Amino acid sequence: MIAKIAEVRRALDREEVVPYFQPLVELHTGRLMGFEVLARWVHPQRGPVLPESFISLAEKGGLIEQLMQQILRKAFVSAPILPAPMVLAVNVSPTQLLDLSLPDQIRDAADASGFPLNRLTIEITESALAQDLEMARKIAHSLKESGCKLALDDFGTGYSSLRHLQALPFDALKVDKSFVQSMTETRESRKIVAAIIGLGHSLGLITVGEGVETEEQADTLLCLGCEMAQGWLYGRAVPADRISDIVAAAPRNFPARPFPPNGDGGIASDSSLEARPAQRLAQLQAIYDGAPVGLCFLDRNLRYVSINRRLADIEGSSVAYHLGRTVKEIISEIYPSVEPYLLRALEGESIKEVEISWPAGKHNEPTRTDLISYQPAFDEAGEVIGVSVAVVDITERKRTEEALRESEDHLRHIVEINPETPWVMDADGNNPDLSSQWVQRAGLTSEQTRKLGWMDTLHPEDIVSTMKVLREALKTGTPIDVEYRVQGEDGAWRWMRSRGSPRFGPLGEILRWYGSVEDIDERKRLAEALRQSRN
Ligand code: C2E
Ligand code: CA
Ligand code: CA
């Protein structure tokens, strides 16, 4: 329908322009925090007419002040139904920000109804600031002085938004519905919304997502840290007589947190213990720097986005030097060893504790060894946006292990060159621990020699006698001294002499047996030959 200025004037004279109320909710609880007041022209024949058909006519016809007065007056009449701290948000036209009497008009309307100005938010669109920023600033400060809150409406649709955001004392920032609605479709607009919300937070502003129609949009906004929302998902704008139903249906337990905040630059009011974003960031930074591991975050191009001091030290240059540079530039020597893991992490794989040694020194020995974990970081849509890397220096641990292994090898070597083969046995004659030399000689695996398995290698004629000596020794604790034949790998029998003594505990009990086996075959043969030559 095409209305004329004269028709709008008549509508205002007949008081046909009325406020409708659309719920404003807190995103993470879904709680009702107040309403935005939206003008409707309730045409006697056509029913409710949307503002786009008459607001600009009212502006052109010099009727906008009258329109606002009518809307405000009627809205404030309905406001007593709203329990504190619920708020009302009203829109002002760009032309009104050229009029220094605006703050007085608003104050007068509020005074007449007794509505507290600290529960009133004035929504200003960016285009309103383009005309006369200095004037807009004066008006904005005057409104703030009387206790009103200020919100920057339709953020992102105008131009030079950042300048405006900085110039006026805003409390809230409303993300335009065009972004909210395309946010779940395109990655780019999601990035824009994320950036707007981040910007709002860093300036200490509450962010409000407009035009929220689906759960998915609400979830995405919540993930991005947006505090408030408005849209058909929560309710359309309704006439005043429907407010009480909506309030009654809403949960009773409103948080003590007023909206928007007290202008102290923080999201949380004094009564809240919630950390402000700046505090949260500082806390994370402290954890980051104090962590006993090296940490960094790399973007998709494998550039350092952040790095803690420990890792910077490990890599041998300052934190600042790392930022913006690629891993390849910083640790070129070992880059080929880490690249495959980084690429896998960029594909979304989480890689735990890979051992990587740093450049080989002069004698090809690694100068350091790290245990490195690679964890992909995902955005709200599940896309990998970078890789978080954790590095633990295990060089010392490796050295100790190496030294231990060496000394063990050393000992074993000494034992192996000894012609006598040492053994250890428990108090029951089980689990003898024999050196590999003996095992080799007997042609057994070391598993086979455990328990009494070693006896299988004895000459059948020697088993009974050997068992007898062993049983006697185990019972009485007298030293073992026994001779038997053992079959070697070549199948020949060789005479052995095994001797051992027990070690006793404090109560005289046997703890363990220690002994050695000696190859006496040569000697036996000589003695035999001697005996025979004598005969
Ligand atoms: P706005 O301030 O951005 O108000 C939000 C607009 O989005 C409203 O349109 C609202 O009905 C609509 N909306 C809310 N939720 C949804 C949703 O989920 N999906 C969609 N598609 N739309 C949603 P409305 O009521 O037609 O108002 C249009 C514009 O007219 C307002 O945009 C505001 O700039 C202006 N306006 C409304 N009332 C007044 C007033 O009293 N004075 C002045 N100066 N301007 C007003
Ligand atoms: Ca608005
Ligand atoms: Ca808006």
Side-chain angles (χ1 to χ4, degrees):
M1 71 151 241
I2 303 161
K4 297 191 183 69
I5 292 174
E7 281 186 83
V8 177
R9 181 176 289 122
R10 207 176 315 126
L12 288 169
D13 290 342
R14 290 179 186 162
E15 303 254 333
E16 286 171 3
V17 179
V18 299
Y20 268 44
F21 299 83
Q22 186 179 31
L24 282 163
V25 303
E26 187 177 51
L27 257 170
H28 79 278
T29 57
R31 276 190 284 221
L32 180 65
M33 306 299 276
F35 294 87
E36 176 172 358
V37 178
L38 294 163
R40 293 290 180 271
W41 172 7
V42 187
H43 197 280
Q45 278 92 44
R46 298 181 199 125
V49 177
L50 291 177
E52 61 178 10
S53 338
F54 62 90
I55 294 285
S56 62
L57 285 172
E59 285 173 350
K60 280 192 203 118
L63 301 166
I64 197 74
E65 185 185 327
Q66 193 187 345
L67 185 142
M68 187 195 67
Q69 296 281 1
Q70 205 164 105
I71 297 283
L72 273 185
R73 184 164 33 81
K74 290 180 180 172
F76 286 151
V77 167
S78 323
I81 313 170
L82 298 184
M86 280 196 203
V87 298
L88 280 182
V90 299
N91 296 282
V92 296
S93 283
T95 50
Q96 294 178 280
L97 282 192
L98 298 170
D99 180 0
L100 260 182
S101 73
L102 179 74
D104 278 335
Q105 294 171 33
I106 292 173
R107 273 191 287 267
D108 292 346
D111 285 351
S113 69
F115 189 79
L117 283 169
N118 62 8
R119 285 169 56 199
L120 185 70
T121 299
I122 309 296
E123 297 194 357
I124 300 169
T125 55
E126 278 181 72
S127 49
L129 306 172
Q131 303 183 31
D132 186 344
L133 189 59
E134 204 32 56
M135 181 65 90
R137 224 150 69 115
K138 281 194 189 125
I139 294 172
H141 279 283
S142 170
L143 285 168
K144 285 284 286 185
E145 271 162 32
S146 45
C148 295
K149 305 293 176 348
L150 294 185
L152 183 52
D153 207 353
D154 302 343
F155 187 81
T157 58
Y159 63 97
S160 65
S161 313
L162 295 179
R163 199 158 74 93
H164 298 149
L165 205 52
Q166 182 198 10
L168 268 69
F170 288 110
D171 303 279
L173 189 159
K174 298 188 80 172
V175 184
D176 190 70
K177 58 173 175 281
S178 60
F179 293 122
V180 171
Q181 292 177 348
S182 54
M183 179 181 66
T184 43
E185 262 108 63
T186 75
R187 180 183 160 88
E188 287 69 29
S189 47
R190 196 175 66 243
K191 297 280 161 205
I192 291 175
V193 174
I196 294 176
I197 292 168
L199 177 69
H201 285 170
S202 57
L203 294 172
L205 307 181
I206 288 272
T207 49
V208 186
E210 290 190 308
V212 179
E213 294 181 4
T214 66
E215 292 281 358
E216 193 189 358
Q217 289 163 352
D219 286 348
T220 307
L221 286 171
L222 192 62
C223 284
L224 296 175
C226 186
E227 287 91 5
M228 305 262 301
Q230 176 184 358
W232 296 347
L233 178 66
Y234 305 100
R236 298 192 180 225
V238 295
D241 59 11
R242 297 270 309 282
I243 297 179
S244 51
D245 290 345
I246 294 175
V247 171
R252 295 273 100 196
N253 54 337
F254 292 107
R257 177 151 54 120
F259 164 74
N262 293 325
D264 58 0
I267 296 294
S269 72
D270 294 342
S271 59
S272 168
L273 275 176
E274 266 173 58
R276 280 184 279 135
Q279 287 177 321
R280 244 177 272 156
L281 213 64
Q283 182 202 4
L284 287 178
Q285 188 63 44
I287 293 173
Y288 209 55
D289 282 336
V293 287
L295 297 167
C296 72
F297 185 72
L298 308 169
D299 69 10
R300 288 203 57 92
N301 298 315
L302 301 177
R303 282 175 207 285
Y304 290 89
V305 173
S306 69
I307 179 167
N308 73 350
R309 183 137 326 127
R310 182 174 287 254
L311 186 57
D313 286 348
I314 288 177
E315 295 181 352
S317 39
S318 70
V319 168
Y321 184 79
H322 279 80
L323 301 181
R325 288 198 161 81
T326 61
V327 180
K328 198 174 178 178
E329 285 174 85
I330 302 277
I331 47 167
S332 49
E333 322 91 313
I334 62 154
Y335 184 70
S337 348
V338 300
E339 189 187 31
Y341 300 110
L342 288 169
L343 296 182
R344 274 161 60 191
L346 281 178
E347 291 292 311
E349 189 185 340
S350 162
I351 302 164
K352 299 250 150 49
E353 309 199 326
V354 190
E355 209 176 288
I356 291 179
S357 290
W358 285 63
K362 265 181 256 137
H363 307 291
N364 219 22
E365 82 290 3
T367 50
R368 57 171 292 128
T369 306
D370 289 327
L371 210 53
I372 312 185
S373 298
Y374 302 86
Q375 179 65 36
F378 301 96
D379 70 1
E380 338 72 54
E383 286 177 42
V384 178
I385 52 166
V387 180
S388 187
V389 183
V391 180
V392 183
D393 178 358
I394 54 163
T395 313
E396 268 317 302
R397 202 201 296 173
K398 288 296 276 188
R399 282 207 186 116
T400 316
E401 272 174 21
E402 197 54 41
L404 210 67
R405 197 171 313 125
E406 251 174 45
S407 75
E408 262 175 24
D409 274 356
H410 197 65
L411 262 175
R412 193 166 303 127
H413 198 65
I414 291 176
V415 167
E416 309 282 89
I417 56 172
N418 198 323
E420 296 202 359
T421 305
W423 51 259
V424 183
M425 183 172 75
D426 73 11
D428 303 319
N430 287 325
N431 298 321
D433 199 347
L434 298 145
S435 80
S436 58
Q437 194 190 21
W438 196 89
V439 173
Q440 223 172 32
R441 184 177 297 151
L444 290 175
T445 65
S446 52
E447 262 323 296
Q448 285 172 316
T449 65
R450 306 245 165 240
K451 302 231 167 156
L452 290 172
W454 62 277
M455 284 228 175
D456 292 347
T457 60
L458 302 197
H459 193 287
E461 286 171 17
D462 301 337
I463 293 183
V464 175
S465 53
T466 305
M467 282 290 269
K468 195 168 160 244
V469 173
L470 203 64
R471 277 214 196 91
E472 183 64 19
L474 290 174
K475 206 158 69 194
T476 59
T478 49
I480 295 168
D481 191 349
V482 61
E483 291 180 7
Y484 47 74
R485 279 160 291 174
V486 170
Q487 197 168 28
E489 262 176 318
D490 57 358
W493 294 101
R494 293 182 74 84
W495 277 102
M496 299 284 172
R497 181 180 181 187
S498 182
R499 279 174 294 180
S501 316
R503 212 184 111 219
F504 295 100
L507 302 172
E509 78 282 18
I510 296 175
L511 294 177
R512 269 176 120 58
W513 289 84
Y514 296 88
S516 64
V517 185
E518 191 185 353
D519 186 334
I520 53 164
D521 203 63
E522 279 310 298
R523 216 190 302 158
K524 268 265 213 221
R525 241 186 272 275
L526 279 175
E528 183 63 16
L530 203 65
R531 198 169 52 83
Q532 273 180 12
S533 69
R534 279 200 192 122
N535 290 347

